[in-house]
Amino acid sequence: MWLTRLFVQRPALVFVMLAFITIAGLISYKTLVQQQTPNVDLPTVTITVTFPGASPTEMRDNIVRPIEDKLAGAPDLNVINSTVQLGRANISAIFNLGASSIVSLQEVERRLQAAQSQLPNDLTTPTVQTFNPSEPTVVFLGVTARSYSKAGLSQLIQNSIIPAVEQAPGVANVNAYGTVTPAIEVTANPVALQANNLTLNDLVNTIGSNNQRLPGGIIYQPTRETTVDIRGDVQTPEQVADLPLQVGPGAGASGQGNSSANAAGSLNPWSLAPGALKIGDVAAVTDSFETQRVYSYVNGKTEMYLAVQKATEANEVDTAKHVIAAIPRLEAQFPGVRFTVIHLSAKYTEEQIDAVFRTLLEGVILTSLVLMFFLGSWRAAVVVLIAIPTSLLITLAVMKLANFTIDTVSLLAMTLVIGILVDDSIVVLENIERHHKEGEAPLHAAVNGRSEIGLAA
């Protein structure tokens, strides 16, 4: 009651506080992070394992299960989800709400290291990544280029376009879909293999043993040291086709000559005997790319696209605007490449915010009309026009201090509270009007009418 009397008797104080609240609320609205969901720290660590050629059963028994067994006892671990397919497996470890993301990542890496002894020796090093639900995808960009081949555009996207897009303010990560990985394809000729007493394993072993990069030591000089890198890797189809083949026992004359040459050194094609076999003699070697398992279509056409994720503390709406604004710069930087906005997830968030403020405006106008129609007082309408927006502005200021975000949950709360504010405004003003009609002075009517239902309101 004393607080109500203070504000009724000190209108200048009310004006100053309203001005302060308005400024603080507007500043908070401009700086609050706008996104689809609240910031929730739900640590999720994903392990990606690739083992080309392995069947799903082999991936499950020899790779996924040993890793799952090691992860099972991790602290704060809630659930493990695994997906297995041909030559690839994804293992997601989801931890309890409130667990530290950094500690969870370190724990997964430590347990994965402990599981290495149970995994195949030739397994590619698994990739460990963290997933943060506060980093949603805000923009999907389609990428097309008529002047590039599929493999060429894929390399351009991975090596140049993705780093350029990640330079936009607020962008945390960019994922590409529909791209292909360049590879050298070796198509064996069964007739030629059989005629020379060779098998597919001979081709595989020859390519593997002649495609290596090894450390060669250090060259010491008086003022410096230089590392030596021994390169035996193959980069082109021609190099693969020229690799010498080791022919097993029982081969023809050319095979015997090749066997003696390979005994001296399989990495030196110049030491081969005349007529020695090479990979190109029993197989066709061409430039190609790995088998594509993920396809993307835009408007019914096969295209590649980028999924742009925002950073944790970044504004979802502003990040999307920055990415869209960068499209002309990207098209100028990469001539012949065209970028199109396929989907704008941040638009839904922006529409939600606009809907809340539209609801606020409708509530204020309808409440003012009701008060003017039933109470016949324009002053009561003015009070509502000031009180309801002020209540929302101070809410935004408190949200900023508490490091909240404007998201689906907070917007739903604001929408519900606007209805409560409208209802309370009508009840309080109607009770004050009743006291005034009963003969009380305006000041006493305001204090008594507000105090009677203040606690309930």
Side-chain angles (χ1 to χ4, degrees):
M1 181 175 180
W2 64 270
L3 191 60
T4 302
R5 187 179 299 275
L6 173 65
F7 283 112
V8 170
Q9 294 177 345
R10 302 289 183 93
L13 177 63
V14 175
F15 177 80
V16 172
M17 289 194 65
L18 289 178
F20 175 78
I21 291 173
T22 301
I23 295 173
L26 292 176
I27 295 176
S28 300
Y29 172 71
K30 293 295 184 180
T31 56
L32 276 171
V33 175
Q34 301 174 4
Q35 59 188 33
Q36 184 66 30
T37 58
N39 287 329
V40 179
D41 189 10
L42 186 63
T44 302
V45 183
T46 302
I47 302 173
T48 303
V49 187
T50 57
F51 197 21
S55 66
T57 303
E58 184 180 358
M59 293 292 298
R60 180 195 64 192
D61 296 337
N62 298 335
I63 297 176
V64 174
R65 282 183 178 173
I67 295 178
E68 288 181 340
D69 292 340
K70 289 296 182 181
L71 295 177
D76 294 325
L77 180 63
N78 186 20
V79 66
I80 298 177
N81 293 326
S82 300
T83 57
V84 181
Q85 56 185 354
L86 181 65
R88 184 183 180 89
N90 290 317
I91 306 169
S92 297
I94 305 174
F95 291 80
N96 294 325
L97 183 66
S100 172
S101 300
I102 297 177
V103 174
S104 301
L105 176 61
Q106 293 174 346
E107 185 67 20
V108 170
E109 290 178 338
R110 185 182 69 82
R111 291 176 178 268
L112 180 61
Q113 185 68 27
Q116 290 291 338
S117 60
Q118 304 178 27
L119 302 178
N121 295 329
D122 53 346
L123 179 67
T124 307
T125 303
T127 303
V128 182
Q129 295 178 323
T130 57
F131 170 74
N132 191 336
S134 298
E135 297 180 355
T137 301
V138 295
V139 181
F140 291 90
L141 294 178
V143 185
T144 56
R146 295 182 178 179
S147 56
Y148 288 88
S149 64
K150 201 169 188 178
L153 181 58
S154 297
Q155 286 188 307
L156 181 66
I157 289 176
Q158 296 291 346
N159 300 332
S160 302
I161 294 179
I162 287 181
V165 176
E166 289 178 341
Q167 297 301 315
V171 175
N173 189 35
V174 180
N175 296 315
Y177 295 92
T179 58
V180 296
T181 303
I184 297 176
E185 184 177 294
V186 180
T187 305
N189 185 342
V191 176
L193 286 176
Q194 186 177 11
N196 291 278
N197 196 24
L198 293 173
T199 65
L200 286 177
N201 284 336
D202 294 323
L203 288 178
V204 174
N205 294 334
T206 299
I207 296 174
S209 61
N210 289 274
N211 183 30
Q212 299 180 11
R213 295 184 62 174
L214 302 172
I218 303 175
I219 298 178
Y220 296 95
Q221 296 178 335
T223 57
R224 64 179 179 177
E225 297 178 357
T226 305
T227 59
V228 178
D229 185 18
I230 299 177
R231 297 194 57 173
D233 54 334
V234 289
Q235 303 289 335
T236 64
E238 291 77 14
Q239 291 177 333
V240 176
D242 287 338
L243 292 177
L245 272 168
Q246 293 183 353
V247 181
S254 63
Q256 294 172 357
N258 187 30
S259 178
S260 62
N262 284 328
S266 62
L267 290 177
N268 186 8
W270 301 104
S271 65
L272 295 176
L277 282 178
K278 301 178 183 179
I279 287 183
D281 297 328
V282 295
V285 185
T286 57
D287 257 329
S288 183
F289 44 82
E290 295 181 3
T291 303
Q292 188 175 2
R293 303 187 182 278
V294 178
Y295 293 84
S296 62
Y297 298 89
V298 180
N299 295 327
K301 298 180 180 179
T302 304
E303 292 185 8
M304 304 176 190
Y305 74 91
L306 305 177
V308 184
Q309 294 177 285
K310 80 171 190 68
T312 302
E313 300 297 331
N315 190 310
E316 184 174 321
V317 176
D318 290 343
T319 301
K321 292 180 179 179
H322 290 315
V323 173
I324 295 175
I327 290 179
R329 173 178 59 82
L330 293 172
E331 291 181 342
Q333 184 178 354
F334 304 102
V337 180
R338 184 186 176 191
F339 298 87
T340 56
V341 179
I342 302 175
H343 180 64
L344 194 60
S345 302
K347 185 178 181 181
Y348 178 69
T349 303
E350 192 172 13
E351 290 176 349
Q352 279 187 314
I353 297 173
D354 294 340
V356 169
F357 286 99
R358 184 169 62 250
T359 303
L360 168 67
L361 181 61
E362 293 171 353
V364 171
I365 294 176
L366 290 176
T367 305
S368 303
L369 293 176
V370 169
L371 292 175
M372 291 183 66
F373 181 78
F374 287 99
L375 300 182
S377 172
W378 64 269
R379 293 183 178 181
V382 172
V383 170
V384 173
L385 289 172
I386 296 175
I388 296 180
T390 303
S391 301
L392 183 61
L393 289 173
I394 196 172
T395 301
L396 295 174
V398 175
M399 288 175 60
K400 180 63 178 179
L401 293 175
N403 200 27
F404 287 175
T405 59
I406 297 182
D407 49 61
T408 304
V409 176
S410 59
L411 290 175
L412 175 62
M414 290 182 191
T415 305
L416 295 175
V417 171
I418 287 173
I420 298 175
L421 284 173
V422 171
D423 179 65
D424 288 347
S425 300
I426 294 175
V427 173
V428 171
L429 289 174
E430 186 179 20
N431 196 44
I432 292 174
E433 184 68 17
R434 180 180 63 84
H435 278 270
H436 181 57
K437 288 183 177 180
E438 291 177 353
E440 295 184 13
L443 188 147
H444 295 290
V447 173
N448 295 333
R450 169 66 177 82
S451 301
E452 284 181 352
I453 59 174
L455 183 61

